[in-house]
Amino acid sequence: MENNANKKSLKSKYINTRCSEIEYAQIKDKASNTGLSSSAYLRNLAMNYPIKSTVDQRALSELVKCKADLGRLGGLFKLWLESENGRWGDLGDRRYEDISDLVDDLIAKEDELLQIARKLLD
């Protein structure tokens, strides 16, 4: 099998293809999302080479951060539930009635995770 240096030196042939303005813009956008030129993007598609999307990597990074936020929130929630008389002690003056606020925060974070996951699928 040829190495990458040999493959690069053999790229002397052109393939012309026609597309609409919309298709052209979509190809440019998708190539940009992978960090490749349009030519390299289309060649990788045609040759079934793996294409790594930088957009997917950014979305994954956001997902990891959001998961960490949920972990911290869950830890605080657990600490609060285990505390004496439903109070945080020196962390503030919270009561069990505040559970609905914390649950709302958890639901909001869950929605945020869903939006990030949808980005990965698009």
Side-chain angles (χ1 to χ4, degrees):
M1 178 152 219
E2 299 173 339
N3 64 28
N4 286 338
N6 287 342
K7 286 182 181 180
K8 198 169 199 172
S9 66
L10 296 175
K11 295 176 186 164
S12 61
K13 300 294 182 190
Y14 290 94
I15 298 175
N16 295 319
T17 187
R18 297 191 182 276
C19 58
S20 69
E21 287 292 327
I22 293 172
E23 291 169 332
Y24 180 81
Q26 289 175 341
I27 291 168
K28 284 290 207 186
D29 184 52
K30 288 182 179 189
S32 170
N33 288 339
T34 64
L36 297 172
S37 67
S38 296
S39 178
Y41 175 75
L42 292 173
R43 181 176 47 255
N44 287 356
L45 281 177
M47 299 305 295
N48 203 26
Y49 296 151
I51 297 175
K52 295 180 182 175
S53 173
T54 57
V55 172
D56 288 350
Q57 292 167 3
R58 285 192 302 258
L60 183 59
S61 176
E62 290 178 39
L63 191 61
V64 168
K65 288 177 188 174
C66 193
K67 184 181 181 323
D69 288 344
L70 278 176
R72 284 188 287 278
L73 184 59
L76 289 172
F77 190 59
K78 181 180 176 186
L79 174 68
W80 179 56
L81 290 174
E82 291 175 348
S83 67
E84 198 172 304
N85 298 325
R87 297 198 178 272
W88 287 74
D90 60 352
L91 297 176
D93 189 21
R94 299 284 185 183
R95 300 166 144 293
Y96 283 109
E97 292 82 24
D98 297 326
I99 287 177
S100 65
D101 292 338
L102 290 172
V103 170
D104 289 344
D105 288 345
L106 286 170
I107 290 170
K109 285 295 181 186
E110 183 180 38
D111 289 342
E112 187 179 343
L113 280 173
L114 181 60
Q115 293 303 318
I116 294 168
R118 285 184 177 149
K119 283 183 194 177
L120 287 171
L121 296 175
D122 286 342

